[in-house]
Amino acid sequence: MYERYWQLEQPPFENHADTNFYYPARTHQGALLKLRYLIENRKGLGLLAGGHGIGKTFITRVLESELEETYTPFVRLVYPLLEPEELLGYLALRLDEESPEAVSNSQDTVLRRLERRLEQFTCDNRHPVIVIDDAHLLEPRHLQVLQLLTNVQQDLGNRFSIILTGQPELLPHVERLAGLSSRVAVRITLRPLPAEETADYVKHRLFAAGARGPVFSEDSLQTFWELSRGIPRRINQVGDLSLLVGYADGLQTVSPVEIEAAAEELTCVSTD
């Protein structure tokens, strides 16, 4: 709605997985470095934790876009609360879509099928990556199934990688299962952006959207950080609504007043 007014080619603050909008914040770059280390050095299992809206899923999308073709298939599981047998069967299906009956087979049968399929990937010089989102929701019985999967992983010489992403409670959640915790090669916690990076994040998103000049006043960028506390999703929400407010008011640049109005409206909406 407001893109033409602000001379933008597209909305700059959409909460989608377009990697063209990736801003290399220190916390995110550090996470990518460790995840690439995990995968490229065949270290097995990694944990990526952080609060709501911190960028966990986006980071794994960027990771997927940066990896060479060797690291395929890149399988993402976004429904972790399946029954344990269904969880294993679903992963088997995603890795071997030519054998849909794997979902209904016994656990031992599925594991054997996975082993054979993973051996074939090795012969084809491919290294699969499995990402399980919202892994903090997994119950101990699910984690025990994942431990079985890591047993296969070790037996095969870490020929595939597993990344669990979730809220901060994911880390102690996994630690309670000693067998699984001992297999974790990297533990990553994403942090909010500091004030300087929040300002650069806003500028980067605008530039990626085609901005030709300043859209937000310099003092408004500090307000961004004060009201979002450096949470990317929150920055996007406040930025998007403040651009709409500025458009509606016919402004030349967005000031702290519009940022504060947008943040207040979002707070009201979230508490209704």
Side-chain angles (χ1 to χ4, degrees), residues 74-112:
F74 196 102
V75 175
R76 187 182 301 275
L77 175 61
V78 293
Y79 305 107
L81 289 184
L82 300 168
E83 288 300 312
E85 295 76 12
E86 293 175 332
L87 174 64
L88 198 58
Y90 179 75
L91 289 174
L93 174 62
R94 293 295 309 276
L95 289 169
D96 190 3
E97 296 186 353
E98 296 179 0
S99 301
E101 70 276 7
V103 176
S104 58
N105 286 337
S106 69
Q107 184 170 283
D108 288 344
T109 302
V110 173
L111 284 172
R112 286 196 298 271

Side-chain angles (χ1 to χ4, degrees), residues 49-50 52 136-137 166-176:
H52 291 291
H136 61 281
L137 298 175
Q167 298 299 303
E169 56 265 32
L170 170 65
L171 301 178
H173 196 38
V174 170
E175 285 177 7
R176 295 189 192 102

